[in-house]
Amino acid sequence: MSTTSSRKGFEFGPFRLFPAERLLERDGKPVPIGSRAFDLLTAMAERAGEVVSKSELFARGWPGMIVEESGLRFHVSALRKALEEGKDGARYIANVPGRGYCLVVPATAFGAEVQRPPAAARSDSAIATVSRGLPLGREDTVPDLMCRLGRDRLVTVSGPAGIGKTTVAFAVAAAERDRGAREVRIVDLAGGQDPALVGAAVAASIGISARSEDPTNEILGFLADRPVLLVLDNCEHVLTSVAPLAERLYLEAPSVQVLVTSREPLRVLGEHVVELPPLPVPPRDGRVTADVLLAYPATKLFLDRAAAVGFREEVTDEAAATIAALCRKLDGIALAIELVASRVGMLGLAETAALVDTRLRLLWQGRRTAPPRHQTLAAALDWSHALLSENERRTLRKLSVFAGTFSLSAALAVAGADMEETDAAAALDSLVSRSLVAVRRDDGAMRYRLLDTTRAYAAQKLEASGEAASTARRHAAAVLAILTEERAGTSPEDRAARRARERALLGDVQTALRWSFADLANRDLSIALAAHACSLFIALSLLHECRQWSSAALALAGADELDDRTALALQAALGHALTFIDGNDDAARDALERALLIAEGLADREEQFRLLGRLHMFHRRADEVSRLLPIAVRMQEIGTALGDPAGMAAAHTMLGVSFHLAGDQGAARLHLETALGMAEFERVTPGHFAFHRNPIIALARTLWLQGCPDKAVEAARPLASDDASADVVTRCIGLIWGADVFRWTGDWATFQALAERLDTLAVRHSLRPYQAVALGMRGEALIRSGQARAGTEFLRSALKVLQAHRYELYMAGFGSALAEGLALLGRAEEAIAFVGTVLKATLTRGSGLHLAELYRIRAGLHAALGDAPRAQADFRTAIATARAQGAVGWELRAATGLARLCGHAAALQDALSLFEEGFETSDLGEATEELARLRARTT
């Protein structure tokens, strides 16, 4: 018999809403509510589970009126009070920051047309708990599952605890119910621990009485020709009974669709497994803003749950970055995100983020209405842990020492201490099937990892077992073995693939180092780890970590106690790190020279080559140009003796850089183009940096100096793109030297953009000298734009830092710019004195690159003071110096200045005749105009 209702409305929780009567009842009793609050509630009830925008709510509550947002908040607050939100954990309305409000409980429509079906045909009441609309981040998953069920009929949704398997299954059930094409039955098996009772639970759900101990035949007889969707929820602990039943339903009941949720597959005939992925999170390398959070389901869910518990803070970009990092740390697991977000209202975002790294998050309580296994993260994991064998439990807790992904061999090395290797491998395979260990394929190799929450849970179990110290030692030994293997590898490979593997290893290297150095009993292991890890730190541009661990290892044992190989690795790494972090001080040079002596004693030419490259960089940064050519020649000799094409290409590059900085641009171009033509420079090894990898860095500037501006710009474009696959040192130098070309050709917009990019990169990696270079570049741009006072201050600050770090390479270039800024401020005499100081230092160090330009600038300063003889002398010295160096670019500038001073066109005409391109650049434009003016004056 059916029952009907003559009144229409919506029912949610204990409330019934009658829009036509403008009445809200709770358990049959009227609830006083204001008129506008009633309209707002009605709008949200009509679209329960969806966000109703603020503009829609304004239109509904205040049609035709302009209202402040505070008015909307006031009435929503009154509405929450009327609904007694918060009492006994009740929650009805969520604020979605930046969007609107949402009724977050299911609202069922009722009315005259709605009839209740007889009990025998009624869908399972569990479906009533499903919100209208699709779950966050599963908009494609639900339709896909419905399509799969229609085709395959037996589908298992698998995944780790809390990822949302039940939510998705219930959404599929609700969608199928709404379609009306088949009956829907849901069997929640979470509460039954006895596999023998599975049949009885299924029989009760479909509405038949189980007359036998195993009612499978009765279930099949009843469902044989019925179009039914049977949802078997939470099956992992009763698989021995669910699996045969599901298989028989697939084989003998062709009208039945079976949807299973389980943390591991059934492994039966006909089963199609769908691994439910985590909710998408903002990428680690992208810029996260408040708007971006709403585009990703994980962060959107976090905001929704946080708002529901009273989080009202403004979501700034800083807060957005914190929320994104939290959701990444929680691996996009819906339950973990909900539980952590539930603490934000009470603790605040910053405190919650700090506590997430502690064990407290495993115990944070969720919704009281949630199943017991979902009340806390620990309870969710206890549910899975209880189903494991002893070998599986032992393996899981030992795997918690891995910070990132790990290989099968590493897993067996750590977990196989007290069991057979085959048993450990079998346990790992079982943990994968139970969704406790994630697995992915990288470059054909299987990589494993524990989700962050699972790792924290397993780490507790490891500590309680008393096996933590022995497991940590095995982990450190395994990491050392991997590092040793990595260092020994010589086969060329894709740079991006190598970098990805290095980053994946980083967390475990850091973990192993921290553990081993905390216990002096592990001295030998600690030193060996540090020696091998430093190559990884350098490759990943983690120079502070390189300095920390190399110096710690050297302090742990005197130099006499170390074998030569270990001492070589540590001294070389320390010298390299100190060069970029603490400046070109004596400690950096001493470490590099000690390492070189050891390499010579070992007759290790490859290490000698690498160390000579680092010493070349040290002296280059100190602008000790006279020392560069002998080092480069020695590198060429070693490269030739080794017969290593990559080394020979790198040696040519070092020779080219040496000649370029000394002022011989013809020789520089010859060597740089030779290196570029060899192509082997692209072969990357951990010891190759900057110019070793890319001779174009120096070639671009050389081309401009030789009178090829267009070719120079073409070569500099890739440097401006800032290749993220290169190490940070190479990227910084590429940006600086590439910017020179754009400065010299007059493209100040690109120059400024490169300065900003350099500053960002230097700040991110705490490279203070490169920050100073970026500051100096910004000072140059300010002077060029007419802001001479601010520009000179920037340049003075930059020069002060560079001098403190003994980073003299850019002193001449910035000194030239500072002198021009002082002249614009009317301080020409001070500028002349300053240029004289810079010239003296430049000549002393043998640096010829900026020599002609310094003479030209001083000439212009003399001319500004009316001292034509000195000005003319400096202009002519600049022209002669530039011509001797093959620096046509400098010669043209000096010849233009001389023509303006004296009216002599011959030198200017000679310089212009050397150019075949670049006539759109600023220098050639000015020179051409000046020559035309002089010719017009003589006719």
Side-chain angles (χ1 to χ4, degrees):
M1 179 178 178
S2 64
T3 60
T4 63
S5 171
S6 60
R7 304 166 74 191
K8 298 180 182 180
F10 300 94
E11 185 173 16
F12 58 95
F15 295 97
R16 288 165 67 87
L17 180 70
F18 302 93
E21 302 170 44
R22 300 191 67 75
L23 173 66
L24 176 66
E25 290 182 350
R26 181 187 181 105
D27 298 326
K29 297 178 181 179
V31 177
I33 186 173
S35 176
R36 286 205 168 92
F38 187 91
D39 290 334
L40 299 178
L41 179 59
T42 303
M44 286 184 272
E46 290 171 352
R47 294 168 55 189
E50 301 178 27
V51 178
V52 183
S53 69
K54 294 176 183 178
S55 60
E56 292 176 279
L57 292 173
F58 281 132
R60 193 67 170 265
W62 295 269
M65 299 173 63
I66 299 176
V67 184
E68 294 289 336
E69 190 170 326
S70 59
L72 175 61
R73 289 198 298 269
F74 172 80
H75 285 283
V76 170
S77 178
L79 182 55
R80 284 178 167 140
K81 186 174 181 181
L83 297 174
E84 297 184 355
E85 188 167 282
K87 184 177 180 181
D88 296 327
R91 172 173 166 265
Y92 298 101
I93 297 173
N95 173 28
V96 182
R99 295 185 62 194
Y101 293 87
C102 173
L103 187 66
V104 294
V105 294
T108 305
F110 60 84
E113 295 80 7
V114 179
Q115 295 186 344
R116 294 186 180 275
R122 197 173 299 159
S123 294
D124 195 285
S125 60
I127 303 177
T129 65
V130 180
S131 299
R132 293 168 64 179
L134 298 175
L136 273 175
R138 308 302 186 193
E139 293 81 1
D140 295 330
T141 305
V142 172
D144 179 64
L145 282 172
M146 295 178 72
C147 180
R148 284 175 177 267
L149 282 164
R151 182 183 67 241
D152 303 323
R153 293 185 35 247
L154 173 55
V155 176
T156 296
V157 179
S158 183
I163 203 165
K165 301 182 293 295
T166 296
T167 300
V168 166
F170 280 21
V172 171
E176 192 61 54
R177 174 203 61 191
D178 293 343
R179 285 174 56 184
R182 60 180 60 245
E183 300 173 23
V184 178
R185 297 287 180 269
I186 295 180
V187 186
D188 184 359
L189 297 170
Q193 298 299 316
D194 187 353
L197 299 179
V198 168
V202 174
S205 173
I206 64 176
I208 64 173
S209 299
R211 296 183 178 86
S212 61
E213 199 170 296
D214 180 6
T216 300
N217 290 330
E218 298 163 61
I219 294 169
L220 288 167
F222 183 79
L223 295 178
D225 55 359
R226 287 174 179 261
V228 172
L229 169 61
L230 181 63
V231 179
L232 303 177
D233 191 31
N234 303 297
C235 298
E236 52 274 346
H237 60 302
V238 287
L239 289 177
T240 53
S241 294
V242 171
L245 173 60
E247 184 175 77
R248 288 196 62 186
L249 284 168
Y250 173 75
L251 294 172
E252 301 175 36
S255 297
V256 175
Q257 297 174 355
V258 182
L259 179 60
V260 177
T261 72
S262 173
R263 297 181 191 180
E264 63 178 302
L266 303 181
R267 295 193 181 90
V268 297
L269 186 65
E271 179 189 31
H272 290 261
V273 180
V274 175
E275 283 283 342
L276 196 61
L279 293 175
V281 299
R284 194 178 303 275
D285 55 355
R287 182 172 179 268
V288 180
T289 63
D291 292 338
V292 167
L293 294 183
L294 296 176
Y296 290 89
T299 45
K300 188 175 180 182
L301 175 66
F302 185 99
L303 287 173
D304 176 70
R305 298 300 183 262
V309 294
F311 178 64
R312 300 291 184 268
E313 297 176 22
E314 179 186 359
V315 183
T316 62
D317 288 352
E318 182 180 357
T322 299
I323 292 170
L326 274 172
C327 291
R328 283 194 295 267
K329 181 175 285 292
L330 299 171
D331 295 296
I333 303 296
L335 175 62
I337 291 170
E338 289 192 18
L339 292 176
V340 171
S342 71
R343 318 309 293 179
V344 174
M346 178 174 62
L347 300 174
L349 183 58
E351 186 67 20
T352 302
L355 289 175
V356 158
D357 287 326
T358 72
R359 296 174 179 177
L360 289 177
R361 68 167 173 188
L362 293 172
L363 303 176
W364 283 345
Q365 292 284 336
R367 291 177 288 112
R368 288 188 176 90
T369 55
R373 69 186 185 283
H374 285 169
Q375 289 285 345
T376 66
L377 291 173
L381 290 161
D382 281 339
W383 175 269
S384 293
H385 191 262
L387 303 176
L388 302 180
S389 69
E390 183 52 41
N391 270 358
E392 291 164 350
R393 292 177 184 178
R394 186 183 301 120
T395 300
L396 178 65
R397 64 180 179 254
K398 290 186 175 183
L399 293 179
S400 69
V401 297
F402 286 104
T405 63
F406 50 89
S407 65
L408 174 61
S409 59
L412 296 179
V414 171
D418 47 7
M419 67 179 89
E420 293 292 331
E421 187 173 283
T422 53
D423 292 336
L428 176 60
D429 185 58
S430 178
L431 292 172
V432 170
S433 70
R434 294 174 184 268
S435 302
L436 286 167
V437 174
V439 63
R440 71 167 186 256
R441 185 177 294 275
D442 284 343
D443 297 325
M446 301 301 290
R447 302 290 298 177
Y448 302 86
R449 72 179 285 260
L450 270 64
L451 300 183
D452 191 71
T453 301
T454 307
R455 183 184 300 109
Y457 175 88
Q460 283 190 346
K461 298 292 185 184
L462 179 63
E463 186 171 332
S465 72
E467 301 168 334
S470 60
T471 303
R473 175 178 288 279
R474 292 183 68 86
H475 171 257
V479 169
L480 177 58
I482 294 170
L483 287 170
T484 304
E485 183 180 346
E486 285 284 314
R487 192 171 182 182
T490 57
S491 59
E493 61 179 314
D494 178 72
R495 183 185 298 176
R498 182 187 184 94
R499 186 62 51 85
R501 194 174 65 251
E502 289 168 341
R503 287 199 182 102
L505 183 60
L506 177 62
D508 285 302
V509 170
Q510 293 167 325
T511 299
L513 283 167
R514 285 193 295 269
W515 174 82
S516 64
F517 273 87
D519 186 350
L520 293 179
N522 304 299
R523 193 194 75 137
D524 292 344
L525 178 59
S526 302
I527 293 171
L529 265 173
H532 284 81
C534 283
S535 295
L536 176 70
F537 293 140
I538 290 174
L540 294 177
S541 302
L542 299 172
L543 300 179
H544 284 270
E545 294 218 34
C546 180
R547 179 186 64 177
Q548 174 189 350
W549 296 112
S550 58
S551 58
L554 287 167
L556 199 59
D560 295 339
E561 299 179 62
L562 297 175
D563 65 89
D564 286 342
R565 285 290 170 192
T566 302
L568 170 60
L570 291 172
Q571 294 286 2
L574 179 61
H576 183 80
L578 289 174
T579 298
F580 294 99
I581 295 172
D582 292 340
N584 282 37
D585 61 7
D586 293 340
R589 186 192 63 246
D590 290 347
L592 291 173
E593 289 180 347
R594 279 196 293 268
L596 181 59
L597 281 173
I598 297 171
E600 289 171 345
L602 292 170
D604 188 334
R605 288 175 174 155
E606 290 186 0
E607 285 298 330
Q608 290 175 50
F609 186 92
R610 292 189 180 96
L611 286 161
L612 287 167
R614 291 178 183 179
L615 279 166
H616 192 282
M617 181 175 287
F618 177 91
H619 293 300
R620 185 169 69 244
R621 287 165 65 88
D623 201 30
E624 296 170 343
V625 176
S626 60
R627 298 189 178 212
L628 299 183
L629 191 57
I631 293 175
V633 169
R634 191 172 167 194
M635 290 178 71
Q636 186 179 39
E637 292 170 352
I638 294 174
T640 302
L642 288 171
D644 175 18
M648 288 159 59
H652 275 294
T653 304
M654 292 297 99
L655 286 164
V657 171
S658 302
F659 282 120
H660 170 70
L661 294 175
D664 188 342
Q665 303 309 323
R669 184 172 177 178
L670 174 65
H671 284 288
L672 292 169
E673 289 184 339
T674 299
L676 193 62
M678 294 178 74
E680 284 85 355
F681 72 87
E682 293 180 348
R683 212 181 88 203
V684 178
T685 71
H688 290 172
F689 290 92
F691 300 107
H692 293 201
R693 288 180 171 170
N694 196 352
I696 293 174
I697 292 174
L699 182 60
R701 294 204 316 185
T702 303
L703 288 169
W704 183 89
L705 289 167
Q706 284 209 303
C708 306
D710 292 343
K711 290 186 179 69
V713 169
E714 183 181 354
R717 289 290 178 202
L719 305 177
S721 68
D722 188 17
D723 178 13
S725 67
D727 65 275
V728 68
V729 173
T730 300
R731 292 164 69 188
C732 286
I733 296 174
L735 289 170
I736 296 168
W737 288 38
D740 281 341
V741 172
F742 296 104
R743 176 208 286 117
W744 294 339
T745 55
D747 185 353
W748 287 94
T750 301
F751 176 81
Q752 285 182 276
L754 297 187
E756 294 295 334
R757 199 179 303 165
L758 173 67
D759 185 60
T760 300
L761 195 61
V763 169
R764 184 185 307 155
H765 294 276
S766 302
L767 299 175
R768 185 74 177 99
Y770 287 138
Q771 288 177 252
V773 174
L775 182 66
M777 290 168 66
R778 290 165 63 190
E780 288 186 86
L782 285 171
I783 291 172
R784 176 61 57 169
S785 68
Q787 302 177 68
R789 191 170 303 281
T792 54
E793 290 304 314
F794 275 34
L795 280 163
R796 285 189 188 279
S797 297
L799 288 168
K800 184 177 180 180
V801 174
L802 292 174
Q803 285 174 327
H805 284 265
R806 294 178 61 183
Y807 193 8
E808 307 283 346
L809 179 60
Y810 301 112
M811 298 294 287
F814 286 154
S816 300
L818 178 59
E820 291 182 321
L822 291 171
L824 290 173
L825 294 174
R827 296 154 61 180
E829 290 183 353
E830 180 184 347
I832 289 173
F834 181 75
V835 171
T837 301
V838 176
L839 264 170
K840 182 179 179 180
T842 300
L843 290 167
T844 299
R845 296 190 185 107
S847 177
L849 176 64
H850 290 280
L851 200 55
E853 184 71 343
L854 287 167
Y855 282 122
R856 181 192 71 83
I857 289 171
R858 191 171 68 175
L861 294 170
H862 283 310
L865 292 175
D867 190 345
R870 287 185 177 177
Q872 188 174 111
D874 272 347
F875 274 133
R876 293 193 182 281
T877 302
I879 292 170
T881 301
R883 184 165 295 175
Q885 294 181 353
V888 177
W890 293 151
E891 182 179 345
L892 180 66
R893 287 186 172 185
T896 303
L898 181 63
R900 283 177 181 157
L901 178 69
C902 305
H904 296 317
L908 180 56
Q909 187 168 346
D910 288 347
L912 271 172
S913 68
L914 298 173
F915 286 85
E916 296 181 356
E917 62 174 64
F919 296 103
E920 302 300 319
T921 60
S922 56
D923 283 351
L924 270 79
E926 291 177 19
T928 302
E929 288 178 9
E930 182 62 29
L931 185 60
R933 188 181 66 79
L934 292 175
R935 285 174 174 171
R937 206 164 68 183
T938 59
T939 57

